[in-house]
Amino acid sequence: MTDAAPLTAPGDAQAFADWVRPSLVPMARLAARLAPHADPDDVVQEALTRAWRKRGGYDPQRGSPTTWLLAIVADQARAARRVRLRHLRLVDEGAELPERASPQRQADLDLDRAITQLGNRQQLAVQLHYFVGLGVDETAAVMGCSAGTVKSTLFDARTKLRRLLGDTDD
Amino acid sequence: MTDQQMHERLEAAGARWREQKATPLIADFAPPPRQLPSVRAHRVTWLVTAAAVIAAAVGITIPLLSGGGTAQPPAGDSSGLYGVRWTWSSSEVGVGGSRPLPPNFDLARAPFLRFEPGGRVVGSDGCNSVSGPARVEGDAIIFGQLYRSYEICHGALWKQAGEINGVLRGRVTWRIVCNVLMLQGHTGELDYDAPHRTRADMECLTRWSNKHAVK
């Protein structure tokens, strides 16, 4: 997932639309992972609107367009989660009931639940690296930290997940 | 479970999830115009997004590099109105309007209207099929009693259908702007998209909204 980073975000609407298009899939993935009860397209749309307004602040030295846009999605998803918490949580009638799920699906649901119990930074690192599919360097660019910090954050997250899932090797 | 096994489990779960999920419905992005009044800006942003979302959902390819604006029929010329499946994209009813495309909205059941030159309209309010008399008089459409099927819907769908039916009563002014049919009734405004919206239409709509923004 490498982008040829231009010097600035385009100021022209058509060029900007072309510029963000390769990032739409990872943006939607991150939105769906970080704010599962919001509409991912809402989150992405809000993030794109913010990106358009903030386009002058894009710095190619600090990462690719995709990593810059994903950082905005992460902020936007946090805001969507906060809004969500203020409202009554409705039962999702379309949700797969655990007892109907296959063992594989059940294991993934358990994993998803455990991930939500991680701290914010650990969650973000796990979602970006494992579910959005970014490399460690790209994850670091989105999170605004070094690759080493991402590695240690992921290690801590895995340790906590093992504990939350009741599996340890000791 | 070792750390390596946890890593592998996460990688496998991530790969499965990416295969199943998260293909964005947003087909494209139209930047919001500058300094639009909040209600109008919100509505236009959603109008453009809704058009892209619906286009993506029904498999319409938006020509990305199409050029030029969209020719509009002159006022009073109703030829562009007839025979087109107009698909609802937004409502502005009541204080602050309503948000188009509510979460979990079933796009296959999107409300639509099709006007026939004989003075009839058929379509759907998103919940029930509707049909009945609709006579064009200049810039107005005079709706008669519309007949509806008898399905019961709940939640956002029911609210949306009620808003649509509230507007489609009596004398409703109409205009087509950038391939969007705008209907202004006593209780609010409805917008419907023509099929095969293009990038040029979206840009046209943005320019139009800048010109006609409510101060």
Side-chain angles (χ1 to χ4, degrees):
Chain A
M1 198 177 296
T2 54
D3 304 276
L7 293 177
T8 61
D12 165 68
Q14 171 69 60
F16 186 82
D18 293 340
W19 189 71
V20 301
R21 192 169 298 115
S23 306
L24 288 177
V25 169
M27 290 172 80
R29 284 180 177 157
L30 185 61
R33 293 300 303 181
L34 291 180
H37 297 295
D39 183 338
D41 290 320
D42 283 1
V43 175
V44 171
Q45 183 66 31
E46 288 297 324
L48 288 172
T49 302
R50 270 185 69 191
W52 169 252
R53 292 190 184 122
K54 294 170 57 177
R55 62 193 182 280
Y58 168 69
D59 179 2
Q61 306 286 333
R62 297 172 65 181
S64 67
T66 297
T67 58
W68 181 69
L69 290 163
L70 286 175
I72 296 173
V73 170
D75 279 347
Q76 218 44 56
R78 266 195 293 276
R81 270 208 311 256
R82 280 196 296 272
V83 169
R84 175 79 191 175
L85 288 173
R86 281 191 231 121
H87 291 80
L88 179 67
R89 187 169 164 168
L90 300 173
V91 174
D92 181 2
E93 292 172 1
E96 192 173 10
L97 295 174
E99 55 269 28
R100 289 185 200 160
S102 67
Q104 180 70 76
R105 178 70 185 133
Q106 180 66 61
D108 286 350
L109 288 170
D110 290 343
L111 183 59
D112 281 348
R113 272 192 289 270
I115 289 169
T116 63
Q117 294 178 57
L118 298 173
N120 282 342
R121 299 285 291 174
Q122 289 179 356
Q123 260 192 66
L124 182 57
V126 166
Q127 303 291 14
L128 286 167
H129 184 59
Y130 290 110
F131 289 87
V132 178
L134 299 190
V136 168
D137 288 339
E138 289 170 307
T139 302
V142 176
M143 295 179 67
C145 62
S146 70
T149 302
V150 168
K151 285 178 186 170
S152 66
T153 304
L154 286 171
F155 178 80
D156 292 343
R158 289 193 299 267
T159 303
K160 187 169 179 185
L161 286 173
R162 287 159 58 203
R163 184 165 51 77
L164 288 167
L165 292 167
D167 295 323
T168 61
D169 58 344
D170 46 35
Chain B
M1 182 185 281
T2 64
D3 181 62
Q4 179 61 27
Q5 287 170 328
M6 188 71 239
H7 167 75
E8 288 167 3
R9 179 173 173 181
L10 282 162
E11 281 204 323
R16 275 192 297 277
W17 183 84
R18 284 194 299 276
E19 272 181 22
Q20 296 164 7
K21 303 259 184 178
T23 301
L25 283 177
I26 291 177
D28 218 332
F29 170 68
R34 285 184 181 179
Q35 295 175 338
L36 270 178
S38 58
V39 171
R40 191 74 200 177
H42 182 73
R43 182 166 153 267
V44 167
T45 301
W46 274 109
L47 203 62
V48 172
T49 307
V53 169
I54 289 172
V58 298
I60 296 168
T61 303
I62 297 175
L64 297 174
L65 298 174
S66 59
T70 305
Q72 304 301 326
D77 175 6
S78 57
S79 57
L81 180 68
Y82 296 125
V84 175
R85 183 186 172 101
W86 296 101
T87 304
W88 172 87
S89 61
S90 76
S91 306
E92 192 171 356
V93 176
V95 178
S98 67
R99 185 170 171 278
L101 295 178
N104 305 319
F105 180 69
D106 180 1
L107 285 163
R109 299 187 60 169
F112 74 96
L113 294 174
R114 188 194 305 273
F115 293 91
E116 296 168 356
R120 282 184 59 79
V121 64
V122 296
S124 161
D125 61 14
C127 179
N128 283 289
S129 299
V130 297
S131 64
R135 190 177 73 252
V136 177
E137 289 184 0
D139 67 349
I141 300 171
I142 315 298
F143 285 91
Q145 176 68 49
L146 297 184
Y147 295 95
R148 297 180 176 81
S149 51
Y150 291 96
E151 289 181 52
I152 301 295
C153 301
H154 298 282
L157 208 57
W158 184 249
K159 180 172 183 287
Q160 169 194 269
E163 290 174 351
I164 288 173
N165 293 324
V167 174
L168 302 181
R169 281 181 183 168
R171 184 183 177 88
V172 172
T173 58
W174 69 281
R175 60 182 161 182
I176 298 172
V177 175
C178 312
N179 270 335
V180 174
L181 170 63
M182 299 178 175
L183 299 177
Q184 177 72 56
H186 293 297
T187 58
E189 183 174 331
L190 305 174
D191 293 332
Y192 291 80
D193 289 347
H196 311 301
R197 293 287 307 281
T198 66
R199 162 63 66 89
D201 290 332
M202 296 182 190
E203 290 171 355
C204 166
L205 192 62
T206 302
R207 284 195 300 274
W208 179 86
S209 68
N210 269 329
K211 269 188 192 171
H212 296 83
V214 179
K215 302 292 182 191

